Amino acid sequence: NAGVTQTPKFQVLKTGQSMTLQCAQDMNHEYMSWYRQDPGMGLRLIHYSVGAGITDQGEVPNGYNVSRSTTEDFPLRLLSAAPSQTSVYFCASSYSNPRGGPTDTQYFGPGTRLTVL
Amino acid sequence: AQSVTQLDSHVSVSEGTPVLLRCNYSSSYSPSLFWYVQHPNKGLQLLLKYTSAATLVKGINGFEAEFKKSETSFHLTKPSAHMSDAAEYFCVVSDRQGGKLIFGQGTELSVKP
């Protein structure tokens, strides 16, 4: 198993550009999520999905879109990048608990380091 | 609402000495609590988790944490630090309603030879 994979590892964008951060998992996990990590703030939840076709907003969703057309993939789209979106982005996955949230153990990808100039 | 506070942004210890990373939580429900570790330029790895079983939880690499409800704390300890323990550590809370994970701000652990 490859686990959770993310591409690209690094990306530099100019303000106003768009791009998609890719995330894939091969563990058949229902629950997938995106976090951003900023110094001194820990990880903050951007969007999450409890299964194919179902997504919802997390703590900091503004400026980001997601979709979940398959169980394996959960891309994160920046429609018009802003310098405030400079961060490290982590994708995570887990099985879903009966209430639709993540189970105790989430598996994290290696991260994408994004710089917006 | 759930929240978690890591009381130290940076902890420095000498190799072979004990490690203590402090975490306090706030939760309206009986929480699940976790410690994750992040080595430089790597993703996050689960160290240990508390889910209402034994209050003393043992994790990987010799780490353990004790859940103290009266103090709303979940401090991480290790008897003897190793150079490879240098990393950032995150205390995380998840409520039993199936909600999201809430991360603390992180504690950077440095280990001196």
Side-chain angles (χ1 to χ4, degrees):
Chain A
N1 284 354
V4 180
T5 58
Q6 290 182 238
T7 56
K9 285 189 169 55
F10 302 93
Q11 183 70 49
V12 178
L13 293 177
K14 295 181 180 178
T15 297
Q17 287 185 313
S18 63
M19 79 159 295
T20 300
L21 279 64
Q22 301 291 345
C23 174
Q25 52 90 11
D26 60 359
M27 297 173 281
N28 204 32
H29 287 165
E30 300 95 348
Y31 188 95
M32 296 185 74
S33 54
W34 276 101
Y35 296 86
R36 60 177 289 172
Q37 182 180 26
D38 301 293
M41 302 187 74
L43 274 72
R44 293 180 292 168
L45 183 64
I46 304 172
H47 284 285
Y48 65 99
S49 168
V50 299
I54 306 170
T55 64
D56 206 347
Q57 297 181 348
E59 184 183 354
V60 288
N62 292 342
Y64 307 95
N65 281 351
V66 291
S67 60
R68 184 93 179 271
S69 56
T70 67
T71 299
E72 294 78 18
D73 300 298
F74 190 44
L76 178 72
R77 297 186 188 85
L78 285 70
L79 297 178
S80 180
S84 61
Q85 294 178 304
T86 294
S87 187
V88 182
Y89 291 84
F90 288 99
C91 179
S93 73
S94 77
Y95 292 109
S96 287
N97 65 38
R99 289 178 289 273
T103 53
D104 291 343
T105 303
Q106 290 201 37
Y107 295 84
F108 285 83
T112 294
R113 190 175 295 273
L114 176 67
T115 301
V116 183
L117 303 175
Chain B
Q2 289 70 45
S3 67
V4 60
T5 301
Q6 293 182 242
L7 300 172
D8 307 291
S9 59
H10 186 261
V11 170
S12 182
V13 301
S14 297
E15 191 174 20
T17 64
V19 175
L20 170 63
L21 305 183
R22 300 182 293 164
C23 172
N24 287 349
Y25 71 92
S26 171
S27 178
S28 305
Y29 306 97
S30 182
S32 293
L33 292 158
F34 312 82
W35 277 97
Y36 280 84
V37 61
Q38 183 182 26
H39 287 93
N41 300 313
K42 299 287 187 183
L44 281 81
Q45 180 184 20
L46 180 67
L47 267 183
L48 50 81
K49 60 184 180 183
Y50 165 78
T51 55
S52 82
T55 57
L56 182 62
V57 182
K58 293 188 184 300
I60 61 172
N61 300 334
F63 284 94
E64 60 183 38
E66 186 171 7
F67 174 71
K68 292 187 177 180
K69 186 175 181 178
S70 60
E71 299 176 11
T72 61
S73 69
F74 190 58
H75 301 334
L76 181 70
T77 60
K78 182 174 181 177
S80 176
H82 191 273
M83 295 297 291
S84 61
D85 294 328
E88 188 152 22
Y89 292 79
F90 293 95
C91 183
V92 182
V93 64
S94 171
D95 69 78
R96 294 289 171 79
Q97 301 302 303
K100 306 101 179 172
L101 300 184
I102 307 297
F103 282 76
Q105 302 92 328
T107 298
E108 184 178 353
L109 175 66
S110 300
V111 182
K112 298 175 289 186

